[in-house]
Amino acid sequence: MGAATRVITAHVPTGLADKVDALAERLERSRGWIMKQALSAWIDQEEERHKLTLEALAEVDAGHVINHDAVIAWADSLSTDQPLPPPSR
């Protein structure tokens, strides 16, 4: 037996619905399959973004940061004849 499922209803702009329909037709898949693929990809992306944000905040909390003025000086030097090396912590 397959995984349990639930129906989720969402109102979307007509233009977006038309694109989903066109993509479903082109790929010879159902509208539901297209929506499931899109939603899964978006959720995966957001979960990864959240994980990376938590990792970055942990780095900040641990004091693993680069001085803002050093980053600005480095960025400003990139358009000169003698760019500075990238700053490090």
Side-chain angles (χ1 to χ4, degrees):
M1 182 180 247
T5 63
R6 273 181 31 198
V7 173
I8 299 175
T9 303
H11 290 268
V12 297
T14 302
L16 181 57
D18 291 344
K19 288 180 181 183
V20 169
D21 289 341
L23 185 58
E25 185 176 332
R26 190 178 86 223
L27 296 177
E28 298 180 354
R29 295 289 191 157
S30 69
R31 182 185 306 148
W33 186 89
I34 299 294
M35 296 302 296
K36 185 169 50 172
Q37 295 298 314
L39 186 57
S40 292
W42 182 76
I43 287 173
D44 288 348
Q45 176 185 330
E46 288 304 311
E47 287 175 343
E48 179 68 11
R49 182 181 318 215
H50 181 67
K51 180 183 85 83
L52 292 173
T53 298
L54 293 178
E55 289 173 3
L57 290 172
E59 288 289 308
V60 169
D61 289 345
H64 301 154
V65 296
I66 298 174
N67 178 279
H68 177 75
D69 292 333
V71 172
I72 296 299
W74 169 73
D76 288 345
S77 79
L78 293 177
S79 61
T80 69
D81 291 336
Q82 296 182 5
L84 298 171
S88 60
R89 48 183 162 127

